[in-house]
Each structure stands twice: as structure tokens, then as C-alpha cells.
Amino acid sequence: MDAESLLLSLELASGSGQGLSPDRRAALLTSLMLVKRDYRFDRVLFWGRILGLVADYYIAQGVSEDQLAPRKTLYSLNCMEWSLLPPATKEMEIQTSVVKGRFMGDPSHEYEHTELQKVNDGEKVFEEEVVVQIKEEMRLVSIIDQIDKAVAVIPRGALFKTPFGPINVNRTFEGLSLSEAKKLSSYFHFREPVELKNKTLLEKAELDPSLDFMDSLEHDIPKGNSLLLGGHWIHPQGPGVSRWRGAMPWWCCAACSGPASPSTTLLAPRTMATSTWAPARRT
């Protein structure tokens, strides 16, 4: 949610039962404006929070003039002092994938993981147990990046691509119509396109290059053991199965100009799309 409309967006998102106290809201509103000024961001988005055992992580992202350029991610433990996180890498994702359970709420906390590594002793090769330490800050970076790639969604028309390349906020966008809001094709993944590059020239000819420059949710297949029933993806274990449950109790779309659904994902209204990634709720 955009920092400039933060108070209204938080009020709407609090309907899920997960909200912020008045003092936290006031601190966020002030500190995010200072973050925008100090880091010279074009926009600052309040990404959400991740609950920890000791403290909670409040996450914000800074956006440059090109809205699809890599975003800077910051975290705070008190909604006033913000620290910049390093960019996520594939190595981070692999290293932190072995860590399970709740966050501690301490960036300097180190998780210990025992793994087998091959050791050469002359002509002999044997396996030895090695204790690997993983910092929670690294895990935080990896989890935020994975959630962004999986469920950061933006409605069609909220951004537009200029003939010269940069992607800007569409100031005339007032939301989707009721009929369009029901279609998955009206929503895009808020990241660099992957599937769009594989489309044929005939398929690309039907797209508007100024609006359809990201991957649509229309042809997404949920990961995990999901079933297609009546045109809807249903998880055998039922709604509520979430890979991020406990780590991310509520999340707002970082791309939308307005408020998003208070859930761990953002999907089209009246669309049941539950998978091992996140439970779907009506927006």
C-alpha cells in the first residue's frame, strides 16, 4: 500500500482482525515520508509485517521512477528506524530453505543447521557433519523475495509503459469494472515478465504493449497437489493451507495505488484459488 494513502489502507485492511495500534500507524506515516525523502524514492510502499517471537518486522519498499525496476527493501522493529536489506540471491534462497518455524524477531539471530559435506583425505572421500550458521536477516531477505515473486499482483491498467521504456503509475486509473475484476486476465504479476517472452507473435499481436507488458494470472497453475474443479483450483487439504502461514498473517499488494485484500495473496474477486502457496480470499 502506498505510504501517501497509508491510514485509509490500514483501516480497510484491519477488517481481517490484524491491524496496527494508533501509535504504530502515526509512527509509520511519519517515518515512511522521511524514508522517501532520505533515499530519494519516487514512491514508498508499506509491504506488511512479519510476526516474530521477540519482535515483529515491519517491511517497506522503495520504488524508483521506473515502477518495474528492482525495489529497495527496508525493515523496522519499531516503525521509526529503518534498515536497508541487501538484494536477494538464489544462494540465499537455497541456504535459508532449511530453516523452519517462526521468525525470532532479531536480525542478528543465527540458526544452526547440521549438514553432511564431502571431505577429501588423500585418496579417501568421506562425509562429515558440519554445523552451518544462517542469520535471520538473510532469511528475512529470502522470504520477502519469494513472497513477492509468488503473490505480488497488480490490476491491469494501474501501470503503463511509455514508448521510451520506463513504466509509470497510471494517474487516471480508478479501478477495474465489476465484470473485469472477476477475470484473472485482469491481474498481472508485479515483476519482470517470464511467460510473456514465450508467447507467439500472433498472441502478442492481441496485446496492448502499453498495458500488457507483465505476466497475466490467467494461465497460472498453482504449485503443489491442486485439483482443477469447475474451473477453480482447489487444494485437497482445503483453504487455509499456506506456505507462509505464521510468517505472514496478512499482506497488502505493494503495487496497487489503493488498498488490497488483507490476506497473504491477492486474486480476482469470487475466485477460489487455494494452493500450497497461500489461501485465497475475496478482495
Side-chain angles (χ1 to χ4, degrees):
M1 57 184 70
D2 199 311
E4 294 184 358
S5 58
L6 182 65
L7 295 182
L8 174 61
S9 300
L10 286 175
E11 188 68 28
L12 294 173
S14 63
S16 66
Q18 292 286 347
L20 300 179
S21 61
D23 57 328
R24 290 290 190 191
R25 296 186 184 196
L28 266 180
L29 184 64
T30 303
S31 63
L32 290 181
M33 291 297 101
L34 295 177
V35 166
K36 179 181 178 181
R37 183 199 65 183
D38 295 341
Y39 286 91
R40 298 182 180 180
F41 292 136
D42 183 69
R43 286 200 304 158
V44 174
L45 309 171
F46 178 55
W47 187 90
R49 69 174 176 179
I50 295 179
L51 299 183
L53 297 175
V54 178
D56 298 338
Y57 291 104
Y58 297 86
I59 312 299
Q61 290 182 330
V63 183
S64 62
E65 187 175 355
D66 186 347
Q67 301 296 311
L68 207 57
R71 300 183 289 276
K72 303 289 186 181
T73 303
L74 306 95
Y75 76 90
S76 175
L77 298 175
N78 55 13
C79 296
M80 293 182 290
E81 299 172 346
W82 295 87
S83 300
L84 188 64
L85 290 171
T89 63
K90 190 64 178 179
E91 290 73 17
M92 283 185 183
E93 181 179 348
I94 295 173
Q95 291 177 14
T96 58
S97 62
V98 298
V99 182
K100 308 297 180 182
R102 294 280 300 275
F103 280 80
M104 293 298 298
D106 179 8
S108 61
H109 176 75
E110 293 185 342
Y111 300 93
E112 291 188 351
H113 170 67
T114 303
E115 61 181 33
L116 296 176
Q117 294 184 358
K118 292 184 178 180
V119 179
N120 295 324
D121 185 8
E123 297 181 353
K124 296 181 179 180
V125 179
F126 59 93
E127 292 184 340
E128 182 180 15
E129 289 189 351
V130 178
V131 177
V132 180
Q133 293 183 333
I134 303 170
K135 279 194 174 184
E136 181 160 281
E137 185 179 68
M138 183 187 300
R139 184 191 180 196
L140 183 65
V141 172
S142 178
I143 289 295
I144 293 172
D145 181 66
Q146 291 178 62
I147 293 177
D148 272 345
K149 289 178 179 178
V151 299
V153 174
I154 188 169
R156 184 178 186 270
L159 300 178
F160 72 96
K161 188 174 184 179
T162 65
F164 303 102
I167 298 169
N168 301 321
V169 174
N170 187 356
R171 302 296 180 186
T172 63
F173 179 72
E174 296 181 351
L176 299 170
S177 64
L178 180 60
S179 60
E180 291 297 320
K182 297 178 182 179
K183 303 176 183 177
L184 283 179
S185 57
S186 298
Y187 300 87
F188 297 121
H189 289 285
F190 189 42
R191 52 170 166 73
E192 287 291 337
V194 177
E195 300 299 331
L196 185 63
K197 301 175 183 178
N198 300 326
K199 289 184 177 293
T200 64
L201 293 177
L202 186 60
E203 291 174 323
K204 291 181 179 179
E206 299 177 356
L207 303 178
D208 185 340
S210 63
L211 299 177
D212 304 315
F213 50 86
M214 292 177 287
D215 292 328
S216 170
L217 271 65
E218 184 178 11
H219 303 294
D220 279 11
I221 300 177
K223 296 184 179 180
N225 299 323
S226 300
L227 304 176
L228 183 61
L229 179 63
H232 303 302
W233 288 103
I234 307 296
H235 196 282
Q237 299 180 33
V241 180
S242 173
R243 178 178 177 180
W244 314 116
R245 185 172 54 195
M248 197 66 186
W250 62 276
W251 177 82
C252 289
C253 178
C256 297
S257 301
S261 171
S263 66
T264 53
T265 186
L266 180 64
L267 295 168
R270 298 184 182 178
T271 299
M272 293 181 62
T274 55
S275 71
T276 53
W277 284 103
R281 299 179 186 174
R282 183 176 298 181
T283 56

